[in-house]
Amino acid sequence: MPTPKEVLDFCAKNDVKIVDLRFTDLPGLWHHVSFPIAQLTESSFEDGFGIDGSSIRGWSAIHESDMLLLPDPGWFMLDAFTTVPTLVMIGDVQDPLTRQRYDRDPRYVAKKAEAYLASTGLADQAFFGAEAEFFVFDNIRFDQREQHGFYFIDAEEGRWNSGREDSNLGYRPRYKEGYFPVPPTDHYQDLRTEMVLKLQAAGLTVEYHHHEVATGGQCEIDLRYDTLLRSADHMMLYKYIVRNTANEFGKTATFMPKPIFQDNGSGMHTHQSLWKSGKPLFAGDGYAGLSPMALHYIGGLLRHAPALAALMAPTTNSYKRLVPGFEAPVNLAYSRRNRSAACRIPMYSASPKAKRVEFRPPDPACNPYLAFSAMLMAGLDGVENKIPAGEPLDRDIYDLSPEELKNVPSLPGSLEDALDALEEDHQFLLKGEVFTEDLIRTWIDYKREKEVNAIRLRPHPYEFQLYYDI
């Protein structure tokens, strides 16, 4: 891991003028504060920088708002989007009086999750690889007032523009038929490539990029797996680079799970595996080449999936994607190839190092530090308590009879139901004080007040079509 001196040497070599410290609020948005580079010294990595945390969502009350940000020398980069050479670093949050890490800092949760894993002796590394999808639009308008509410999306690539009279060259993906078309139907080859180059320049390893299923500019760029903490760090950086690169091209990118009606939403399939002493632990001679540990890990994910939903599909909009019978994997079962199952075991490679579990319900609106940590804790609970995964679901879910379908549990149908499930089932998250009761209570209360109840209070535009003349 780089030392503070190596960070300072990097700054001198690259004529850095500003250091930009990033941190994450509870819902999962990056924030930053910038300092002249002269403020960054070797002692800064221990003394930290003071910030006011009172206005950060989900953080402290105003009477205890003073916080410290301690730069993490383990990761840094030059910002690709600033005019002046700027060093980007991630800051860990501390209480300035006790010098204790702050329990509501999502990154601290991820660090505690990794520490808990090591303490169990079951494994010493958890690897996560997340496939976050997103949309690229040309224009987005939305508003909500006392007497009106609307949104309006436009994208040059959107199939709905096929009948436009002016400047219409065609070549747009059909609804639900946007998977892997070549240009000119794929409008964003160059844009995605520029995103990839910027991700690589920031030190991330990109595996591939492609157009996704939906029309209107749905894309995916896949990063190589890494440890839980680093994968969460990388996801925050991934979103930052995607959004800012789109902005440079005069576009806007969104990780909203379901922005377009009746087309595919954006998911974040999350690949997971446990290792010990450099050896993979999920490979074995069981179903789909899995070990007993892997099957019990799946059992934990499936057992706690309703509670996990509140953290991995954490918006009211998430449940426009997680609808039975459509594209989303709401069925709490596992399979080696069936993509309608919540857990899929990829079969691309026979290598033990490639053996992993792909958990398909998460979406990219989640806070990756909290979501990855919660999934690890659920899987570990399955391993520790030998929770059975049940029978695999190797049949097409749409071919099952109503009687057979009754035996396949599913995810909650709304954020409200998911929050209820988390309230009922969160003891597995408290092990090792990875999550705290305070954090879980804060999350539930915030989501109910700011999102569930806020949506419930407002008339929906479609209600006027249904009920205006009733």
Side-chain angles (χ1 to χ4, degrees):
M1 185 173 101
T3 65
K5 184 179 183 305
E6 289 174 318
V7 176
L8 296 175
D9 289 344
F10 177 87
C11 292
K13 180 180 179 182
N14 291 277
D15 195 26
V16 170
K17 303 297 185 185
I18 296 290
V19 58
D20 196 60
L21 290 183
R22 306 280 171 90
F23 58 96
T24 308
D25 67 9
L26 203 58
L29 187 66
W30 238 2
H31 296 259
H32 75 139
V33 57
S34 302
F35 302 90
I37 192 60
Q39 299 290 323
L40 184 68
T41 65
E42 287 196 53
S43 64
S44 302
F45 293 85
E46 293 185 5
D47 298 338
F49 294 88
I51 62 166
D52 175 7
S54 63
S55 297
I56 304 302
R57 296 180 299 173
W59 280 24
S60 65
I62 196 166
H63 66 280
E64 51 183 21
S65 59
D66 290 346
M67 299 286 176
L68 286 177
L69 274 182
L70 273 69
D72 181 351
W75 180 87
F76 55 89
M77 71 167 191
L78 289 176
D79 197 317
F81 305 101
T82 55
T83 303
V84 172
T86 300
L87 183 79
V88 176
M89 301 185 72
I90 297 176
D92 291 318
V93 185
Q94 275 192 3
D95 184 295
L97 299 181
T98 65
R99 301 296 302 212
Q100 297 296 310
R101 287 296 310 274
Y102 186 46
D103 281 331
R104 293 190 193 177
D105 175 10
R107 195 166 190 258
Y108 183 39
V109 174
K111 286 191 171 184
K112 288 191 290 183
E114 289 189 325
Y116 177 74
L117 171 65
S119 75
T120 65
L122 295 169
D124 51 33
Q125 284 184 308
F127 285 110
F128 279 70
E131 303 171 349
E133 299 163 350
F134 57 93
F135 278 88
V136 175
F137 298 143
D138 287 272
N139 190 49
I140 177 71
R141 295 188 289 117
F142 51 88
D143 198 8
Q144 177 72 58
R145 299 295 176 90
E146 288 76 6
Q147 90 293 2
H148 71 252
F150 73 91
Y151 68 89
F152 187 88
I153 296 168
D154 202 11
E156 173 60 32
E157 197 197 72
R159 187 69 178 180
W160 57 84
N161 276 319
S162 294
R164 193 180 67 199
E165 292 186 10
D166 298 329
S167 303
N168 193 345
L169 301 178
Y171 294 109
R172 296 181 177 89
R174 299 175 184 86
Y175 295 104
K176 294 183 176 290
E177 294 185 25
Y179 209 53
F180 288 10
V182 298
T185 303
D186 177 359
H187 287 218
Y188 299 121
Q189 171 74 16
D190 288 341
L191 172 59
R192 291 195 309 272
T193 295
E194 184 63 26
M195 292 172 177
V196 167
L197 294 177
K198 284 184 166 62
L199 288 165
Q200 290 176 323
L204 305 189
T205 301
V206 177
E207 294 189 332
Y208 54 86
H209 72 81
H210 61 85
H211 199 286
E212 257 297 338
V213 173
T215 192
Q218 192 182 34
C219 302
E220 180 177 319
I221 301 173
D222 284 355
L223 305 178
R224 183 175 173 79
Y225 68 87
D226 209 321
T227 60
L228 186 156
L229 178 67
R230 286 303 173 203
S231 287
D233 287 342
H234 294 169
M235 186 52 57
M236 300 303 297
L237 177 59
Y238 172 86
K239 288 184 175 184
Y240 177 74
I241 288 177
V242 164
R243 289 186 182 118
N244 280 279
T245 307
N247 191 65
E248 286 190 333
F249 275 63
K251 311 288 184 183
T252 178
T254 179
F255 291 90
M256 186 176 176
K258 188 74 170 184
I260 297 179
F261 174 55
Q262 287 192 329
D263 209 339
N264 278 36
S266 292
M268 190 183 75
H269 306 153
T270 304
H271 298 253
Q272 305 166 47
S273 62
L274 298 180
W275 292 54
K276 188 173 184 179
S277 302
K279 295 182 180 179
L281 301 179
F282 276 11
D285 55 6
Y287 173 83
L290 294 178
S291 67
M293 173 183 277
L295 289 167
H296 289 138
Y297 190 97
I298 290 171
L301 287 175
L302 298 178
R303 169 77 60 84
H304 298 297
L308 290 176
L311 294 161
M312 67 185 181
T315 70
T316 57
N317 185 252
S318 300
Y319 298 86
K320 305 294 193 298
R321 169 182 170 259
L322 294 173
V323 177
F326 289 84
E327 87 270 12
V330 299
N331 307 293
L332 298 182
Y334 69 101
S335 174
R336 58 187 161 195
R337 305 191 74 175
N338 189 342
R339 292 173 185 263
S340 68
C343 287
R344 187 178 78 91
I345 298 89
M347 302 300 291
Y348 302 118
S349 171
S351 169
K353 293 182 178 180
K355 193 57 63 180
R356 61 197 187 274
V357 174
E358 177 191 8
F359 199 42
R360 296 175 63 81
D363 67 54
C366 72
N367 183 324
Y369 298 106
L370 301 182
F372 294 173
S373 299
M375 284 185 266
L376 174 63
M377 296 302 289
L380 287 178
D381 190 59
V383 175
E384 290 169 327
N385 293 294
K386 293 184 168 46
I387 296 175
E391 293 300 315
L393 181 66
D394 285 334
R395 293 176 54 189
D396 188 334
I397 191 71
Y398 305 115
D399 289 340
L400 296 181
S401 67
E403 284 301 314
E404 291 173 309
L405 201 56
K406 286 180 181 178
N407 297 322
V408 182
S410 62
L411 286 168
S414 69
L415 177 58
E416 184 174 20
D417 290 345
L419 292 169
D420 289 344
L422 178 60
E423 198 167 40
E424 290 287 324
D425 175 27
H426 62 260
Q427 289 301 312
F428 68 99
L429 297 174
L430 303 179
K431 294 178 181 179
E433 297 184 337
V434 173
F435 288 76
T436 63
E437 286 281 6
D438 170 74
L439 177 61
I440 293 169
R441 184 77 263 158
T442 299
W443 179 267
I444 291 171
D445 291 346
Y446 178 90
K447 288 287 177 177
R448 281 179 176 161
E449 177 187 354
K450 301 294 186 181
E451 299 181 28
V452 172
N453 291 337
I455 291 292
R456 181 184 286 131
L457 285 170
R458 289 161 170 79
H460 190 285
Y462 193 62
E463 290 178 321
F464 285 83
Q465 183 163 324
L466 290 172
Y467 307 129
Y468 188 76
D469 61 350
I470 199 166

